[in-house]
């Protein structure tokens, strides 16, 4: 091999290494300062997927967590006693895989010595991480994963700071009643989140005389929905209720429209409507109803937070949830009165009464919160939000049905 | 049910034709160069992005954008062969396999860094339109995808069988040394093979990107499936790849139709296990590796 080729190959390999070093794991202190181990910083571990088939929610929550850390550090940090600490985030990409998520958790706790772990992007990943956090007595929060199975594991060190499926179920029932849908086709992920949500929805719909005329599970990596949609079209379903992350939901919605299926699609995962209207043209998203987890979106603190991003209109519930997880920890550290005692921190987290952008965070003995989702309806490419107890206007319902 | 079966026949044919575009390029590279290119899925993803940028950002006609994508990614493939695989020409299969894994990770992470994880929609000219076939409404979009892939496969067959380049490709596949002695420029032929392979994968990415959405991880599963199809058809066999792709497409579609969607992704791996157990050389045999 000639010298020129050898140097070209070496250069390419160096570039590859540079890229991967930047992608696989990162540690950062928001704002200025940060003294690393043992100094006046508190390390927080983040294990979410930022690559792979379900990277979107993890990227959104992580972006917001970085903004929150920067805000906190620039405004004096975390005040414990007479000392101020800066937050330092250490992130590892879980790639949407349970095995990567567990490896990341072990590394964050054993090697990086983080005080708390926030993760992950899916309930399957999160369920695999919980026993590790529990074994190491390290507080763990989730800002994205929402399946009831997580809090049902009975872990003392796990607390759910995401908008939980169980709280959205009544909203889904109300949504069906508002639109007078009696026959539903339910399509859902075959992972922990999808299966648990489908089970809970099944029960709630049955109690409210809403019939599920078709139900089918699919893998989160699936992109082809043609045949499944043909099966739905052959039923007398009035609405498709889809429990899927945005990556699959967008494909499902697009293929339903492309096939000329007139049955409206309803988001059953609290997905990011803001992202959907950016990706798909208005004719694809018109009439889309979603259980947005965004809280009071037109409040001043929401607007101020959105203004921190390059594209404020794309800030969604996963951003809010990510941001809240950091501020919730700040509040807990300050009440715990210690930057090093994980047990006190865990007690403080569970005793939270914290007002975030998503709502008020209080936890029961299982670590569940009681934050309710709001409804978002897409009309002509714009999202109209309806607060938790607000009725959807009849003309809006008529224009969609 | 008969309507659903007709729909499934068309859906399976569309999926199979897309897999065929992927698998033919994959098997050509292996059959002639003895390289298992696991970065094939990333070339498919680059095709999706290239088509997206031309159609949605620069408002170029979808079909013109597809031709441009074929050329751009084809040229990119040519240089990949020159930079990555040519220096490893005399190395073992394992070395080139590792190089292709590295290339795959490099491309996917680079695109993730540059473009972010956002999904992108490629606007298709006949979106939402349908025609009636045997009394069943079928999407024009899927029919166009099917016709385009069929045309490209036929064009490739014609090039291989009737053109001078095609004869040189076949000669190189049969005996590289003899072909070189007969005046075939092996370096150029290897580059052309890689360009054809990359170009076809890119067109598949553009077509499927218009049917689904484009994102940096879109090449993972199709790349894996192309590999399985090539094993099913017989490593290095173009006819095997075509038949394997159709079997695969129909297996997935009818699994969804008669069982459940969640088994759709599983069926490919079951096929792989069965082939490895009962006919390791694939349906149409395969080529000997170095």
């Amino acid at each position: 091999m000639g010298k020129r080729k050898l140097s070209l190959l070496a250069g390419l390999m160096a570039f590859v290494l540079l890229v991967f070093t930047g992608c696989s794991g990162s540690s950062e202190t928001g704002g200025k300062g940060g003294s690393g181990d043992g100094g006046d910083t508190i390390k927080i571990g983040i294990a979410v997927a930022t690559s792979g088939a379900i990277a979107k929610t993890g990227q959104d929550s992580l972006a917001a967590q970085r903004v929150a850390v920067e805000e906190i550090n620039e405004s004096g940090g975390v005040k414990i006693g007479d000392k101020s600490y800066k937050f330092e985030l250490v992130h590892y990409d879980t790639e949407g895989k349970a095995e990567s998520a567990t490896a990341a958790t072990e590394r964050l706790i054993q090697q990086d010595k983080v005080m708390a772990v926030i993760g992950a992007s899916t309930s399957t990943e999160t369920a695999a991480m919980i026993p590790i956090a529990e074994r190491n007595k390290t507080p763990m929060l989730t800002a994205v994963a929402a399946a009831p199975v997580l809090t049902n594991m009975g872990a003392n060190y796990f607390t759910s700071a995401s908008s939980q499926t169980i709280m959205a179920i009544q909203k889904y029932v109300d949504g069906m009643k508002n639109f007078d849908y009696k026959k539903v086709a339910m399509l859902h992920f075959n992972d922990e989140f999808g299966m648990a949500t489908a089970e809970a929805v099944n029960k709630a719909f049955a109690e409210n005389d809403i019939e599920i005329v078709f139900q089918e599970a699919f893998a989160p990596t699936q992109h082809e929905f043609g045949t499944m949609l043909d099966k739905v079209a052959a039923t007398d379903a009035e609405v498709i209720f889809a429990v899927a992350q945005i990556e699959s939901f967008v494909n499902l919605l697009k293929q339903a429209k492309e096939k000329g299926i007139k049955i409206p699609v309803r988001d059953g995962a609290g997905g990011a409507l803001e992202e959907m209207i950016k990706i798909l043209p208005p004719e694809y998203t018109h009439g889309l109803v979603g259980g947005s987890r965004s809280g009071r979106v037109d409040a001043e603190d929401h607007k101020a937070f959105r203004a921190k991003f390059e594209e404020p209109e794309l800030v969604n519930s996963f951003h809010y949830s990510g941001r809240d997880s950091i501020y919730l920890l700040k509040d807990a550290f300050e009440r715990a009165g210690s930057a090093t005692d994980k047990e006190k921190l865990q007690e403080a987290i569970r005793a939270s009464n914290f007002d975030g952008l998503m709502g008020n965070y209080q936890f029961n003995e299982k670590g569940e919160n009681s934050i309710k989702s709001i409804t978002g309806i897409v009309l002509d490419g714009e999202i109209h939000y309806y607060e938790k107890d607000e009725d959807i206007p009849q003309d809006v319902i008529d224009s969609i049905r | 049910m008969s309507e659903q079966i007709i729909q499934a026949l068309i859906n399976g044919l569309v999926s199979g034709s897309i897999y065929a575009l992927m698998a033919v390029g994959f098997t050509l590279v292996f059959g002639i160069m003895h390289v298992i290119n696991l970065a094939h899925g990333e070339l498919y993803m680059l095709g999706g992005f290239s088509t997206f940028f031309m159609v949605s950002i620069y408002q170029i006609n979808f079909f013109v954008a597809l031709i441009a994508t074929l050329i751009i990614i084809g040229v990119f493939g040519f240089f990949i062969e020159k930079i990555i695989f040519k220096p490893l020409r005399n190395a073992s299969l394992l070395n080139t396999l590792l190089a292709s894994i590295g290339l795959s990770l490099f491309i996917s992470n680079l695109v993730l860094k540059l473009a972010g994880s956002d999904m992108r929609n490629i606007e298709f000219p006949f979106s939402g339109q349908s025609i009636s076939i045997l009394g069943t409404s079928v999407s024009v979009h899927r029919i166009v995808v099917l016709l385009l892939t069929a045309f490209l496969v036929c064009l490739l067959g014609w090039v291989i069988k009737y053109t001078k380049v095609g004869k040189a490709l076949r000669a190189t596949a049969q005996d590289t040394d003899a072909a070189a002695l007969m005046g075939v420029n092996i370096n150029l032929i290897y580059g052309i093979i890689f360009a054809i392979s990359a170009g076809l994968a890119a067109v598949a990415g553009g077509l499927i990107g218009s049917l689904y959405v484009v994102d940096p991880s879109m090449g993972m599963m199709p790349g894996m499936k192309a590999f399985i199809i090539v094993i099913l058809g017989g490593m290095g066999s173009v006819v095997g790849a075509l038949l394997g792709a159709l079997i695969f497409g129909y297996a997935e579609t009818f699994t969804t139709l008669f069982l459940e969607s969640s088994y759709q992704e599983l069926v490919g791996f079951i096929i792989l296990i069965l082939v490895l157990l009962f006919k390791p050389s694939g349906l149409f045999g395969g080529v000997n590796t170095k």
Side-chain angles (χ1 to χ4, degrees), chain A residues 12 15 20 52 56 59 190 216-217 221-222 224 227-228 230-231 234 251 254-255 258 278-279 281 284, chain B residues 4 7 11 84 105-106 109 112 117-118 121 127 139 142 210 212-213 217 253 256 260-262 265:
Chain A
L12 197 65
F15 188 45
F20 291 152
K56 190 67 201 143
Q59 287 211 335
N190 63 357
E216 193 155 305
T221 48
Q222 187 175 321
E224 171 57 40
T227 304
M228 189 165 75
D230 289 334
K231 285 163 77 178
N251 271 317
K254 189 176 175 185
Q255 287 172 52
E258 171 254 319
K278 178 197 163 198
I279 300 165
Y284 284 78
Chain B
Q4 282 182 52
Q7 293 271 17
N11 289 339
I84 311 278
L105 289 169
F106 173 70
N109 279 287
L112 192 66
S117 64
D118 291 351
N121 178 51
S127 198
S139 142
R142 286 180 185 246
S210 70
Y212 308 160
V213 287
S217 66
T253 304
T256 301
E260 196 181 86
S261 276
S262 55
E265 306 273 288

Side-chain angles (χ1 to χ4, degrees), chain A residues 298-317:
Chain A
D298 50 358
E300 287 307 313
D301 44 0
H302 284 71
K303 287 180 189 166
F305 179 67
R306 287 199 294 270
K308 306 252 177 188
F309 293 83
E310 265 181 44
E311 294 177 282
E313 70 280 6
L314 294 183
V315 172
N316 59 57
S317 54

Side-chain angles (χ1 to χ4, degrees), chain B residues 10-286:
Chain B
I10 292 161
N11 289 339
L13 202 56
V14 171
S15 296
S17 61
I18 290 290
Y19 291 148
L21 272 190
M22 292 283 288
V24 165
F26 197 107
T27 209
L28 267 181
V29 167
F30 181 80
I32 300 175
M33 296 171 61
H34 305 298
V35 168
I36 296 174
N37 179 22
L38 292 184
H40 204 61
E42 273 56 48
L43 297 169
Y44 163 93
M45 177 264 290
L46 286 178
F49 269 93
S50 164
T51 311
F52 164 78
F53 282 118
M54 280 187 267
V55 174
S56 300
I57 308 288
Y58 297 107
Q59 308 292 318
I60 295 171
N61 176 279
F62 177 78
F63 299 103
V64 176
L66 270 187
I67 295 168
T69 292
L70 176 89
I71 296 166
I72 292 167
I73 307 299
V75 170
F76 180 65
F78 184 88
F79 285 106
I80 282 178
E81 196 281 323
K82 294 293 160 224
I83 295 168
I84 311 278
F85 294 103
K86 193 180 166 194
L88 299 170
R89 207 168 279 172
N90 295 317
S92 70
L93 189 68
L94 185 64
N95 289 20
T96 52
L97 184 76
L98 288 173
S100 76
I101 293 172
L103 179 66
S104 160
L105 289 169
F106 173 70
I107 294 175
S108 60
N109 279 287
L110 189 66
V111 172
L112 192 66
K113 276 275 176 195
L114 296 176
S117 64
D118 291 351
M119 288 162 282
R120 289 150 171 101
N121 178 51
I122 299 174
E123 286 155 32
F124 185 76
F126 309 109
S127 198
Q129 296 180 25
S130 58
I131 54 169
S132 180
I133 298 176
L134 298 171
T136 304
S137 174
V138 180
S139 142
V140 172
H141 197 154
R142 286 180 185 246
I143 297 293
V144 171
V145 169
L146 182 63
L147 293 176
L148 276 174
T149 50
F151 170 73
L152 281 171
V153 169
C154 292
L155 183 67
L156 178 70
W158 178 79
V159 167
I160 289 176
K161 197 158 188 186
Y162 297 109
T163 66
K164 204 174 168 184
V165 172
K167 283 175 188 165
L169 284 174
R170 282 186 285 141
T172 309
Q174 281 174 13
D175 191 326
T176 311
D177 295 334
L181 286 171
M182 293 296 116
V184 174
N185 184 342
I186 301 298
N187 281 335
L188 182 65
I189 288 297
Y190 277 8
I192 288 173
I193 293 162
F194 231 94
I196 291 173
S197 170
L200 289 178
V203 171
L207 285 171
I208 216 72
S210 70
L211 208 52
Y212 308 160
V213 287
V214 176
D215 71 88
S217 66
M218 67 181 277
M220 271 192 313
M221 282 308 279
M224 179 92 77
K225 286 175 183 176
F227 189 29
I228 295 172
I229 288 164
V230 169
I231 293 171
L232 169 65
M235 297 285 282
S237 166
V238 173
V239 177
L242 289 173
L243 192 67
L246 287 177
I247 291 172
F248 202 89
Y250 276 121
E252 282 193 343
T253 304
F254 280 99
T255 301
T256 301
L257 183 63
F258 293 117
L259 294 172
E260 196 181 86
S261 276
S262 55
Y263 299 118
Q264 185 182 303
E265 306 273 288
L266 197 65
V267 72
F269 296 98
I270 292 172
I271 289 174
L272 178 66
I273 292 166
L274 291 177
V275 169
L276 291 176
L277 276 176
F278 299 109
K279 200 157 187 339
S281 59
L283 296 176
F284 284 79

Side-chain angles (χ1 to χ4, degrees), chain A residues 79-373:
Chain A
K79 298 198 172 40
I80 300 172
D82 54 356
K83 280 191 80 175
S84 284
Y85 295 83
K86 289 188 187 302
F87 268 150
E88 181 185 345
L89 287 188
V90 185
H91 163 246
Y92 294 116
D93 181 5
T94 61
E95 303 166 309
K97 300 173 187 164
E99 59 271 26
S100 302
T102 51
T105 313
E106 291 279 10
R107 197 169 163 193
L108 286 167
I109 296 171
Q110 304 294 347
Q111 187 180 309
D112 298 301
K113 310 283 182 204
V114 298
M115 279 296 293
V117 176
I118 306 175
S121 300
T122 67
S123 297
T124 304
E125 291 173 290
T126 311
M129 291 165 65
I130 290 171
I132 300 169
E134 193 74 357
R135 194 171 61 239
N136 291 282
K137 297 188 188 309
T138 301
M140 180 180 159
L141 290 175
T142 178
V144 179
V149 68
L150 302 176
T151 44
N152 287 342
M153 289 171 78
N156 294 319
Y157 283 81
F158 173 73
T159 306
S160 175
S162 79
S163 183
Q164 293 192 265
T165 304
I166 202 77
M167 298 309 298
I169 300 297
Q170 190 53 47
K171 201 76 192 168
Y172 297 149
V173 172
D174 292 345
M176 294 298 155
K177 284 182 174 172
N178 280 335
F179 287 87
D180 200 23
Y181 293 134
K182 296 278 185 203
K183 292 174 189 262
V184 181
M186 181 155 62
L187 312 177
H188 59 90
F189 271 0
N190 63 357
D191 65 358
E192 299 269 12
F193 168 70
M195 299 304 278
T197 305
E199 191 185 334
V201 168
N202 248 310
K203 194 172 163 219
F205 280 10
E207 285 167 1
N208 288 277
D209 296 325
I210 299 163
E211 188 187 355
I212 294 182
V213 293
F214 179 86
Q215 182 174 346
E216 193 155 305
F218 59 94
T221 48
Q222 187 175 321
H223 286 155
E224 171 57 40
F225 297 104
T227 304
M228 189 165 75
L229 286 166
D230 289 334
K231 285 163 77 178
V232 173
T235 69
D236 56 350
E238 296 166 313
V239 62
I240 297 171
F241 184 81
V243 183
Q245 288 217 16
I246 184 168
E247 288 84 352
S248 299
F249 193 93
V250 167
N251 271 317
L252 184 74
L253 191 62
K254 189 176 175 185
Q255 287 172 52
K257 297 288 175 188
E258 171 254 319
K259 288 181 86 64
I261 291 171
K262 304 286 183 206
I263 307 169
V265 184
R266 207 251 194 239
D267 166 42
L273 295 177
E274 298 81 357
E275 192 67 28
M276 289 183 205
I277 61 168
K278 178 197 163 198
I279 300 165
L280 296 175
E283 61 269 27
Y284 284 78
T285 55
H286 181 75
L288 181 62
V289 181
S292 176
R293 314 194 215 182
S294 304
R296 309 171 312 276
V297 288
D298 50 358
E300 287 307 313
D301 44 0
H302 284 71
K303 287 180 189 166
F305 179 67
R306 287 199 294 270
K308 306 252 177 188
F309 293 83
E310 265 181 44
E311 294 177 282
E313 70 280 6
L314 294 183
V315 172
N316 59 57
S317 54
F318 296 104
H319 289 92
Y320 297 131
S321 188
R323 176 262 182 207
D324 281 358
S325 65
I326 296 294
Y327 275 97
L328 179 81
L329 278 178
K330 174 184 183 282
D331 175 67
F333 270 112
E334 290 178 345
R335 282 185 292 104
S338 169
T340 54
D341 191 329
K342 288 181 176 178
E343 202 165 329
K344 279 187 181 171
L345 175 64
Q346 178 57 26
E347 283 169 14
I349 289 171
R350 284 290 176 91
S352 293
N353 184 1
F354 167 73
D355 282 318
L357 296 183
M358 300 280 288
N360 179 265
Y361 291 82
Q362 291 186 54
F363 303 101
N364 63 16
E365 69 285 351
K366 287 167 73 180
E368 293 167 334
N369 65 66
S370 54
I371 291 171
K372 291 178 185 167
S373 63

